[in-house]
Amino acid sequence: MSSLSRARVARRIAAGAAYGGGGIGLVGAAAVGVVLAEVQLAKRHVGNGHSNPPRADGLYGYMYSGQDGPPLRLTMLGDSTAAGQGVHRARQTPGALLASGLAAVAERPVELCNVALPGAQSDDLDRQVALALADTSRVPDVCVIMIGANDVTHRMPPTRSVRHLSAAVRRLRTAGAEVVVGTCPDLGTVEQVQQPLRWLARRASRQLAAAQTIGTVEQGGRTVSLGDLLGPEFEANPRELFGPDNYHPSAEGYATAAMAVLPTMCAALGLWPAEEERPDVSRREGFLPVARAAAEAASEAGTEVTAAMPTGPRGPWALLKRRRRRRVPETDPAPTPTPSP
């Protein structure tokens, strides 16, 4: 599917979400029988992955305690990828990696709270946002949401999926938190999934990711395409980047995802170098209609989309950036978090 076609579909899904439309199906009805048969076959080969992810909540970058200002507050929301399912050590989870990286960039301690739930779909975000905002005196400085894979595998109507995500972003932004959404990963690269489900899963994943981008940006958040979470690098190196259950990422896989999200998270907080905030034409960065930017981002992992202008010749415009990858810095000699007070 071309980026222009994907942009049109994403805009229709986002519009349906905004105006209460019923559903624009991600998979044609004629393919449902074949898809369901393939899903059952894949389930026999993909590990169950039901072990609880390690708890990583706590304080990171404690050597910066005493610096100006209180610790920054980072909250993770979403599904098993946000929770860190598939690894055994707290420091290997995406929340811990992002908290350590943010502490190093800001030179301030970072307090991590993770309310993500393995197996969650987007309709669980309302509950998670309520947890994140339960203490009005401790609103997060930045929230990272990773959601969407279970919406595709459970065939949630994409308009409903985007409606829940948009509402979550709106509530968090209204409360004063910056929001970064890691959009739906490319499920077409799970090794055990066979054709035609592989093609359909990839198409559905990218359509949902593009629609998520539109919904998020229109509510004042930023998105990062997480195709690499289960994308080309994972397809080429499944033994290294998938965990033991052959579905969730390994420690190396989560580090890859964290490297994609960290620059955007820091930019949202005003911590990234100013010279890197200007669009680089040589990297095909620039201003595009939001639907076109969303479609471009869905096709290339690690791409950021953020709001730019409220209106233009074809509606709202966004800034598309392809941020350089950087290794997530480790701030603590032993980055196991210390409990928050």
Side-chain angles (χ1 to χ4, degrees), residues 65-106:
S65 297
Q67 302 281 358
D68 293 340
L72 292 169
R73 290 185 287 273
L74 164 64
T75 298
M76 300 290 296
L77 306 91
D79 56 23
S80 56
T81 55
Q85 190 162 0
V87 296
H88 302 292
R89 295 178 176 85
R91 66 173 180 266
Q92 297 172 328
T93 63
L97 291 165
L98 289 172
S100 294
L102 178 58
V105 173

mmCIF file of all heavy atoms in Angstrom, residues 65-106:
data_model
loop_
_atom_site.group_PDB
_atom_site.id
_atom_site.type_symbol
_atom_site.label_atom_id
_atom_site.label_comp_id
_atom_site.label_asym_id
_atom_site.label_seq_id
_atom_site.Cartn_x
_atom_site.Cartn_y
_atom_site.Cartn_z
ATOM 1 N N SER A 65 20.820 13.465 42.778
ATOM 2 C CA SER A 65 20.002 14.016 43.862
ATOM 3 C C SER A 65 20.700 15.234 44.459
ATOM 4 O O SER A 65 21.925 15.255 44.625
ATOM 5 C CB SER A 65 19.781 12.963 44.951
ATOM 6 O OG SER A 65 19.068 11.859 44.435
ATOM 7 N N GLY A 66 19.917 16.238 44.784
ATOM 8 C CA GLY A 66 20.493 17.474 45.305
ATOM 9 C C GLY A 66 20.677 18.524 44.233
ATOM 10 O O GLY A 66 20.973 19.681 44.537
ATOM 11 N N GLN A 67 20.526 18.129 42.948
ATOM 12 C CA GLN A 67 20.587 19.108 41.874
ATOM 13 C C GLN A 67 19.320 19.963 41.920
ATOM 14 O O GLN A 67 18.379 19.673 42.653
ATOM 15 C CB GLN A 67 20.690 18.395 40.515
ATOM 16 C CG GLN A 67 21.889 17.464 40.385
ATOM 17 C CD GLN A 67 23.180 18.211 40.095
ATOM 18 O OE1 GLN A 67 23.182 19.429 39.945
ATOM 19 N NE2 GLN A 67 24.282 17.480 40.035
ATOM 20 N N ASP A 68 19.313 21.010 41.110
ATOM 21 C CA ASP A 68 18.159 21.907 41.097
ATOM 22 C C ASP A 68 16.889 21.153 40.697
ATOM 23 O O ASP A 68 16.869 20.425 39.702
ATOM 24 C CB ASP A 68 18.383 23.053 40.107
ATOM 25 C CG ASP A 68 19.495 23.983 40.562
ATOM 26 O OD1 ASP A 68 19.798 23.964 41.769
ATOM 27 O OD2 ASP A 68 20.056 24.694 39.720
ATOM 28 N N GLY A 69 15.860 21.327 41.481
ATOM 29 C CA GLY A 69 14.562 20.768 41.140
ATOM 30 C C GLY A 69 14.370 19.358 41.650
ATOM 31 O O GLY A 69 15.329 18.623 41.887
ATOM 32 N N PRO A 70 13.113 18.941 41.819
ATOM 33 C CA PRO A 70 12.792 17.585 42.269
ATOM 34 C C PRO A 70 13.024 16.587 41.130
ATOM 35 O O PRO A 70 13.264 16.986 39.981
ATOM 36 C CB PRO A 70 11.309 17.695 42.623
ATOM 37 C CG PRO A 70 10.794 18.758 41.698
ATOM 38 C CD PRO A 70 11.913 19.753 41.558
ATOM 39 N N PRO A 71 12.943 15.304 41.413
ATOM 40 C CA PRO A 71 13.077 14.315 40.337
ATOM 41 C C PRO A 71 12.012 14.507 39.259
ATOM 42 O O PRO A 71 10.882 14.897 39.538
ATOM 43 C CB PRO A 71 12.884 12.974 41.066
ATOM 44 C CG PRO A 71 13.219 13.256 42.491
ATOM 45 C CD PRO A 71 12.793 14.671 42.737
ATOM 46 N N LEU A 72 12.407 14.249 38.023
ATOM 47 C CA LEU A 72 11.427 14.196 36.950
ATOM 48 C C LEU A 72 10.585 12.937 37.127
ATOM 49 O O LEU A 72 11.071 11.912 37.601
ATOM 50 C CB LEU A 72 12.133 14.161 35.588
ATOM 51 C CG LEU A 72 12.878 15.433 35.177
ATOM 52 C CD1 LEU A 72 13.742 15.165 33.942
ATOM 53 C CD2 LEU A 72 11.888 16.560 34.895
ATOM 54 N N ARG A 73 9.327 13.014 36.743
ATOM 55 C CA ARG A 73 8.425 11.872 36.901
ATOM 56 C C ARG A 73 8.063 11.309 35.524
ATOM 57 O O ARG A 73 7.530 12.025 34.679
ATOM 58 C CB ARG A 73 7.169 12.279 37.675
ATOM 59 C CG ARG A 73 7.441 12.562 39.149
ATOM 60 C CD ARG A 73 6.165 12.854 39.914
ATOM 61 N NE ARG A 73 5.628 14.156 39.583
ATOM 62 C CZ ARG A 73 5.983 15.298 40.194
ATOM 63 N NH1 ARG A 73 6.869 15.263 41.175
ATOM 64 N NH2 ARG A 73 5.445 16.444 39.836
ATOM 65 N N LEU A 74 8.381 10.035 35.332
ATOM 66 C CA LEU A 74 8.089 9.315 34.086
ATOM 67 C C LEU A 74 7.103 8.198 34.383
ATOM 68 O O LEU A 74 7.335 7.394 35.292
ATOM 69 C CB LEU A 74 9.390 8.734 33.509
ATOM 70 C CG LEU A 74 9.249 7.639 32.433
ATOM 71 C CD1 LEU A 74 8.569 8.184 31.177
ATOM 72 C CD2 LEU A 74 10.631 7.064 32.088
ATOM 73 N N THR A 75 6.018 8.141 33.624
ATOM 74 C CA THR A 75 5.028 7.084 33.778
ATOM 75 C C THR A 75 4.889 6.311 32.473
ATOM 76 O O THR A 75 4.765 6.917 31.403
ATOM 77 C CB THR A 75 3.659 7.651 34.194
ATOM 78 O OG1 THR A 75 3.787 8.297 35.468
ATOM 79 C CG2 THR A 75 2.620 6.541 34.318
ATOM 80 N N MET A 76 4.924 4.980 32.568
ATOM 81 C CA MET A 76 4.739 4.107 31.415
ATOM 82 C C MET A 76 3.311 3.562 31.437
ATOM 83 O O MET A 76 2.820 3.101 32.474
ATOM 84 C CB MET A 76 5.722 2.936 31.461
ATOM 85 C CG MET A 76 7.194 3.325 31.450
ATOM 86 S SD MET A 76 7.754 3.987 29.865
ATOM 87 C CE MET A 76 7.542 2.565 28.789
ATOM 88 N N LEU A 77 2.644 3.603 30.300
ATOM 89 C CA LEU A 77 1.311 3.046 30.144
ATOM 90 C C LEU A 77 1.285 2.157 28.909
ATOM 91 O O LEU A 77 2.104 2.328 28.000
ATOM 92 C CB LEU A 77 0.255 4.149 29.997
ATOM 93 C CG LEU A 77 0.170 5.243 31.057
ATOM 94 C CD1 LEU A 77 1.040 6.442 30.687
ATOM 95 C CD2 LEU A 77 -1.273 5.716 31.232
ATOM 96 N N GLY A 78 0.331 1.221 28.878
ATOM 97 C CA GLY A 78 0.181 0.417 27.681
ATOM 98 C C GLY A 78 0.056 -1.058 27.962
ATOM 99 O O GLY A 78 -0.568 -1.475 28.939
ATOM 100 N N ASP A 79 0.684 -1.870 27.095
ATOM 101 C CA ASP A 79 0.534 -3.318 27.149
ATOM 102 C C ASP A 79 1.821 -3.980 27.619
ATOM 103 O O ASP A 79 2.630 -3.375 28.318
ATOM 104 C CB ASP A 79 0.087 -3.836 25.775
ATOM 105 C CG ASP A 79 1.032 -3.421 24.650
ATOM 106 O OD1 ASP A 79 2.217 -3.131 24.926
ATOM 107 O OD2 ASP A 79 0.588 -3.405 23.476
ATOM 108 N N SER A 80 2.028 -5.238 27.230
ATOM 109 C CA SER A 80 3.177 -6.002 27.724
ATOM 110 C C SER A 80 4.506 -5.411 27.301
ATOM 111 O O SER A 80 5.508 -5.558 28.010
ATOM 112 C CB SER A 80 3.079 -7.454 27.241
ATOM 113 O OG SER A 80 2.985 -7.512 25.830
ATOM 114 N N THR A 81 4.549 -4.731 26.152
ATOM 115 C CA THR A 81 5.816 -4.132 25.732
ATOM 116 C C THR A 81 6.189 -2.965 26.634
ATOM 117 O O THR A 81 7.357 -2.764 26.956
ATOM 118 C CB THR A 81 5.745 -3.668 24.267
ATOM 119 O OG1 THR A 81 4.628 -2.789 24.094
ATOM 120 C CG2 THR A 81 5.587 -4.854 23.329
ATOM 121 N N ALA A 82 5.199 -2.183 27.051
ATOM 122 C CA ALA A 82 5.477 -1.088 27.987
ATOM 123 C C ALA A 82 5.851 -1.631 29.357
ATOM 124 O O ALA A 82 6.666 -1.047 30.080
ATOM 125 C CB ALA A 82 4.261 -0.171 28.101
ATOM 126 N N ALA A 83 5.262 -2.777 29.716
ATOM 127 C CA ALA A 83 5.552 -3.378 31.015
ATOM 128 C C ALA A 83 6.906 -4.067 31.041
ATOM 129 O O ALA A 83 7.502 -4.249 32.110
ATOM 130 C CB ALA A 83 4.459 -4.386 31.371
ATOM 131 N N GLY A 84 7.413 -4.479 29.870
ATOM 132 C CA GLY A 84 8.706 -5.144 29.816
ATOM 133 C C GLY A 84 8.615 -6.661 29.874
ATOM 134 O O GLY A 84 9.573 -7.315 30.293
ATOM 135 N N GLN A 85 7.492 -7.212 29.432
ATOM 136 C CA GLN A 85 7.362 -8.666 29.476
ATOM 137 C C GLN A 85 8.360 -9.321 28.523
ATOM 138 O O GLN A 85 8.571 -8.858 27.407
ATOM 139 C CB GLN A 85 5.945 -9.078 29.087
ATOM 140 C CG GLN A 85 5.665 -10.538 29.329
ATOM 141 C CD GLN A 85 4.178 -10.833 29.358
ATOM 142 O OE1 GLN A 85 3.361 -9.936 29.201
ATOM 143 N NE2 GLN A 85 3.814 -12.084 29.572
ATOM 144 N N GLY A 86 8.975 -10.410 28.995
ATOM 145 C CA GLY A 86 9.934 -11.130 28.172
ATOM 146 C C GLY A 86 11.362 -11.043 28.674
ATOM 147 O O GLY A 86 12.229 -11.774 28.205
ATOM 148 N N VAL A 87 11.643 -10.117 29.613
ATOM 149 C CA VAL A 87 12.970 -10.024 30.220
ATOM 150 C C VAL A 87 12.856 -10.348 31.708
ATOM 151 O O VAL A 87 11.765 -10.365 32.270
ATOM 152 C CB VAL A 87 13.621 -8.642 30.008
ATOM 153 C CG1 VAL A 87 13.861 -8.397 28.530
ATOM 154 C CG2 VAL A 87 12.745 -7.530 30.584
ATOM 155 N N HIS A 88 14.006 -10.596 32.341
ATOM 156 C CA HIS A 88 13.999 -11.060 33.727
ATOM 157 C C HIS A 88 14.560 -10.045 34.716
ATOM 158 O O HIS A 88 14.406 -10.217 35.923
ATOM 159 C CB HIS A 88 14.797 -12.360 33.835
ATOM 160 C CG HIS A 88 14.282 -13.451 32.942
ATOM 161 N ND1 HIS A 88 13.057 -14.053 33.138
ATOM 162 C CD2 HIS A 88 14.813 -14.021 31.827
ATOM 163 C CE1 HIS A 88 12.855 -14.958 32.194
ATOM 164 N NE2 HIS A 88 13.906 -14.962 31.387
ATOM 165 N N ARG A 89 15.215 -8.994 34.239
ATOM 166 C CA ARG A 89 15.815 -8.006 35.128
ATOM 167 C C ARG A 89 15.131 -6.656 34.949
ATOM 168 O O ARG A 89 14.854 -6.245 33.820
ATOM 169 C CB ARG A 89 17.314 -7.878 34.871
ATOM 170 C CG ARG A 89 18.091 -9.147 35.195
ATOM 171 C CD ARG A 89 19.583 -8.976 34.873
ATOM 172 N NE ARG A 89 20.334 -10.147 35.267
ATOM 173 C CZ ARG A 89 20.490 -11.233 34.514
ATOM 174 N NH1 ARG A 89 19.915 -11.275 33.312
ATOM 175 N NH2 ARG A 89 21.196 -12.250 34.946
ATOM 176 N N ALA A 90 14.915 -5.965 36.048
ATOM 177 C CA ALA A 90 14.228 -4.669 35.994
ATOM 178 C C ALA A 90 14.949 -3.701 35.066
ATOM 179 O O ALA A 90 14.315 -2.955 34.319
ATOM 180 C CB ALA A 90 14.117 -4.087 37.400
ATOM 181 N N ARG A 91 16.275 -3.708 35.103
ATOM 182 C CA ARG A 91 17.026 -2.728 34.316
ATOM 183 C C ARG A 91 16.912 -2.960 32.806
ATOM 184 O O ARG A 91 17.305 -2.109 32.014
ATOM 185 C CB ARG A 91 18.505 -2.737 34.718
ATOM 186 C CG ARG A 91 19.263 -4.015 34.396
ATOM 187 C CD ARG A 91 20.746 -3.820 34.701
ATOM 188 N NE ARG A 91 21.533 -5.015 34.420
ATOM 189 C CZ ARG A 91 21.837 -5.937 35.315
ATOM 190 N NH1 ARG A 91 21.399 -5.806 36.559
ATOM 191 N NH2 ARG A 91 22.573 -6.978 34.983
ATOM 192 N N GLN A 92 16.367 -4.134 32.402
ATOM 193 C CA GLN A 92 16.218 -4.432 30.977
ATOM 194 C C GLN A 92 14.879 -3.984 30.414
ATOM 195 O O GLN A 92 14.677 -4.040 29.202
ATOM 196 C CB GLN A 92 16.373 -5.943 30.756
ATOM 197 C CG GLN A 92 17.741 -6.485 31.131
ATOM 198 C CD GLN A 92 17.790 -8.001 31.083
ATOM 199 O OE1 GLN A 92 16.793 -8.681 31.352
ATOM 200 N NE2 GLN A 92 18.952 -8.549 30.747
ATOM 201 N N THR A 93 13.976 -3.542 31.255
ATOM 202 C CA THR A 93 12.657 -3.118 30.784
ATOM 203 C C THR A 93 12.754 -1.757 30.104
ATOM 204 O O THR A 93 13.648 -0.966 30.396
ATOM 205 C CB THR A 93 11.657 -3.026 31.945
ATOM 206 O OG1 THR A 93 12.103 -2.021 32.872
ATOM 207 C CG2 THR A 93 11.538 -4.367 32.669
ATOM 208 N N PRO A 94 11.835 -1.455 29.183
ATOM 209 C CA PRO A 94 11.905 -0.154 28.515
ATOM 210 C C PRO A 94 11.754 1.016 29.479
ATOM 211 O O PRO A 94 12.379 2.053 29.293
ATOM 212 C CB PRO A 94 10.762 -0.205 27.496
ATOM 213 C CG PRO A 94 9.871 -1.306 27.959
ATOM 214 C CD PRO A 94 10.749 -2.294 28.653
ATOM 215 N N GLY A 95 10.929 0.852 30.528
ATOM 216 C CA GLY A 95 10.776 1.935 31.494
ATOM 217 C C GLY A 95 12.087 2.259 32.192
ATOM 218 O O GLY A 95 12.458 3.427 32.343
ATOM 219 N N ALA A 96 12.824 1.222 32.621
ATOM 220 C CA ALA A 96 14.103 1.444 33.293
ATOM 221 C C ALA A 96 15.121 2.056 32.336
ATOM 222 O O ALA A 96 15.888 2.955 32.705
ATOM 223 C CB ALA A 96 14.635 0.126 33.850
ATOM 224 N N LEU A 97 15.147 1.566 31.098
ATOM 225 C CA LEU A 97 16.077 2.107 30.107
ATOM 226 C C LEU A 97 15.792 3.587 29.836
ATOM 227 O O LEU A 97 16.710 4.413 29.751
ATOM 228 C CB LEU A 97 15.982 1.305 28.814
ATOM 229 C CG LEU A 97 16.509 -0.136 28.876
ATOM 230 C CD1 LEU A 97 16.022 -0.926 27.670
ATOM 231 C CD2 LEU A 97 18.035 -0.142 28.934
ATOM 232 N N LEU A 98 14.514 3.927 29.698
ATOM 233 C CA LEU A 98 14.149 5.318 29.429
ATOM 234 C C LEU A 98 14.410 6.205 30.648
ATOM 235 O O LEU A 98 14.866 7.334 30.513
ATOM 236 C CB LEU A 98 12.683 5.407 29.016
ATOM 237 C CG LEU A 98 12.368 4.838 27.629
ATOM 238 C CD1 LEU A 98 10.860 4.782 27.393
ATOM 239 C CD2 LEU A 98 13.044 5.674 26.542
ATOM 240 N N ALA A 99 14.135 5.691 31.852
ATOM 241 C CA ALA A 99 14.396 6.477 33.058
ATOM 242 C C ALA A 99 15.886 6.738 33.225
ATOM 243 O O ALA A 99 16.307 7.860 33.552
ATOM 244 C CB ALA A 99 13.849 5.747 34.287
ATOM 245 N N SER A 100 16.715 5.723 32.976
ATOM 246 C CA SER A 100 18.164 5.903 33.069
ATOM 247 C C SER A 100 18.663 6.893 32.030
ATOM 248 O O SER A 100 19.495 7.764 32.314
ATOM 249 C CB SER A 100 18.873 4.556 32.886
ATOM 250 O OG SER A 100 18.581 3.677 33.935
ATOM 251 N N GLY A 101 18.159 6.752 30.802
ATOM 252 C CA GLY A 101 18.575 7.669 29.746
ATOM 253 C C GLY A 101 18.153 9.096 30.011
ATOM 254 O O GLY A 101 18.927 10.042 29.802
ATOM 255 N N LEU A 102 16.917 9.283 30.478
ATOM 256 C CA LEU A 102 16.418 10.620 30.778
ATOM 257 C C LEU A 102 17.214 11.257 31.906
ATOM 258 O O LEU A 102 17.543 12.449 31.859
ATOM 259 C CB LEU A 102 14.932 10.548 31.136
ATOM 260 C CG LEU A 102 14.246 11.864 31.517
ATOM 261 C CD1 LEU A 102 14.370 12.887 30.397
ATOM 262 C CD2 LEU A 102 12.779 11.618 31.863
ATOM 263 N N ALA A 103 17.557 10.478 32.935
ATOM 264 C CA ALA A 103 18.353 11.008 34.046
ATOM 265 C C ALA A 103 19.710 11.486 33.559
ATOM 266 O O ALA A 103 20.210 12.539 33.985
ATOM 267 C CB ALA A 103 18.520 9.937 35.127
ATOM 268 N N ALA A 104 20.331 10.739 32.649
ATOM 269 C CA ALA A 104 21.645 11.122 32.143
ATOM 270 C C ALA A 104 21.582 12.395 31.313
ATOM 271 O O ALA A 104 22.458 13.258 31.412
ATOM 272 C CB ALA A 104 22.229 9.977 31.318
ATOM 273 N N VAL A 105 20.536 12.517 30.494
ATOM 274 C CA VAL A 105 20.408 13.715 29.653
ATOM 275 C C VAL A 105 20.056 14.940 30.494
ATOM 276 O O VAL A 105 20.631 16.026 30.323
ATOM 277 C CB VAL A 105 19.340 13.486 28.559
ATOM 278 C CG1 VAL A 105 19.075 14.789 27.794
ATOM 279 C CG2 VAL A 105 19.785 12.389 27.597
ATOM 280 N N ALA A 106 19.113 14.784 31.425
ATOM 281 C CA ALA A 106 18.646 15.920 32.234
ATOM 282 C C ALA A 106 19.572 16.225 33.399
ATOM 283 O O ALA A 106 19.494 17.316 33.974
ATOM 284 C CB ALA A 106 17.243 15.626 32.772
#
